[in-house]
Amino acid sequence: MHTIETPMLFDSPRTLESLGIPDADIRFVHDFFVPLEANDYFKRLTTDTSWTQPVLRVWGKDHLQPRLSCWYGDPDAVYRFSGKTFRPHPWTPALQCIRHKIQGATGFHFNSVLLNLYRDGHDSIGMHSDNEPELGPMPVIASLSLGATRIFRLKHRHNAFAPVSIALSNGSLLIMAGQTQERWMHGVRKDTQDIGPRINLTFRRILTA
Ligand SMILES: O=C(O)CCC(=O)C(=O)O
Ligand SMILES: [Fe+2]
C-alpha cells in the first residue's frame, strides 16, 4: 500500500498542494485551521449540530449507520432519494464562517455540507464514491477534518493502481475534484486503537433546478 506522508516542516502553511494521485485531482493542506481554531470549531460543532443516526437498509437488513451525521445548506439544495425530497438544515453561523473560508481558499461555491461524527474508533464509513446525480459530473468536494486523526483510504474503481492512505488530522483540508469520484472510491475504516472523536465536513454543490 502506498502511503502519502503529509509534509509538516518546510511546507508553506495553508497552501493546497496536489497529492499527485493518478486519475484524480486531490489537493491537501494539513493546517487549513491552526489547532486552536480547529479545536474551537470541533467543540462548537459537537454541541450545536442536530446529530442523527439514520437506519441503513443493507441486503434487506436494517443497520444503524456507524456514525452520526447531519446535513446543512441553502433551502434549494435538496436531494431526491427513493421518491422522497430531503431538505438541509439552515446554515449555522459557525458553518457559514467555515464555508466562506473554504470558498475563499478554493474559489468554488458550495451550497451544502454533510457533517459526520465518528464517536470513536468503532465508527466508520464504507468505501463509496460521491457520485449522486445531484452533484453533477466531476464534482468539487471540500473535506475538512476536526478532532482525532483518521486514515482516509482511496481505492481505484477499475484498475490496479495502488490504494492510497492519507492521515486526515485536526484542521486539515482535502479537496477532491476532476475525475476523482468517477475513478476512485474512498472510505474510513474502523480503527482498533483507542481513538477519540472526529468530525468531518464535506462541502458540496448540489445542482439546483
Ligand atoms: O470522514 C471522511 O473523511 C469522509 C466522509 C465522506 O466520504 C462522506 O461524507 O462522503
Ligand atoms: Fe464521501
Side-chain angles (χ1 to χ4, degrees):
M1 181 177 299
H2 177 55
T3 302
I4 295 210
E5 296 292 338
T6 53
M8 294 295 288
L9 290 172
F10 315 116
D11 184 25
S12 62
R14 299 172 194 220
T15 310
L16 283 159
E17 302 263 13
S18 169
L19 293 185
I21 296 169
D23 245 10
D25 181 357
I26 301 185
R27 301 170 201 214
F28 184 73
V29 57
H30 69 83
D31 61 349
F32 187 73
F33 284 127
V34 295
L36 216 64
E37 219 176 351
N39 295 346
D40 187 53
Y41 278 125
F42 178 85
K43 275 195 219 128
R44 281 168 75 181
L45 295 175
T46 302
T47 53
D48 298 354
T49 304
S50 305
W51 297 111
T52 57
Q53 189 176 20
V55 174
L56 306 176
R57 185 151 264 254
V58 184
W59 303 111
K61 258 187 84 182
D62 287 343
H63 298 271
L64 274 177
Q65 181 185 271
R67 64 190 180 281
L68 309 188
S69 57
C70 194
W71 180 42
Y72 288 82
D74 295 348
D76 61 347
V78 299
Y79 256 110
R80 291 193 176 80
F81 183 68
S82 295
K84 285 191 206 150
T85 302
F86 294 93
R87 292 182 193 284
H89 289 266
W91 294 100
T92 62
L95 291 173
Q96 284 285 31
C97 287
I98 299 173
R99 170 166 77 138
H100 286 131
K101 184 154 185 209
I102 293 179
Q103 289 185 163
T106 59
F108 287 100
H109 174 76
F110 301 100
N111 63 5
S112 57
V113 61
L114 177 66
L115 279 78
N116 282 306
L117 170 63
Y118 303 82
R119 296 160 292 182
D120 57 28
H122 296 109
D123 278 354
S124 61
I125 186 165
M127 295 302 282
H128 67 280
S129 300
D130 293 305
N131 55 2
E132 292 81 4
E134 286 85 351
L135 297 172
M138 303 215 273
V140 176
I141 296 175
S143 163
L144 176 73
S145 293
L146 302 170
T149 299
R150 297 289 296 262
I151 305 297
F152 183 79
R153 292 173 202 273
L154 287 145
K155 191 178 179 314
H156 198 280
R157 296 172 75 95
H158 311 297
N159 71 25
F161 284 131
V164 176
S165 297
I166 306 167
L168 297 184
S169 53
N170 189 27
S172 67
L173 181 69
L174 179 94
I175 310 291
M176 294 185 276
Q179 295 181 308
T180 308
Q181 303 305 326
E182 198 184 310
R183 302 287 172 89
W184 292 79
M185 297 198 292
H186 59 265
V188 177
R189 278 191 207 151
K190 286 184 201 309
D191 205 309
T192 48
Q193 287 173 35
D194 188 13
I195 222 160
R198 164 179 185 259
I199 294 175
N200 175 262
L201 299 87
T202 45
F203 286 84
R204 299 146 187 258
R205 181 157 74 201
I206 307 252
L207 302 178
T208 53

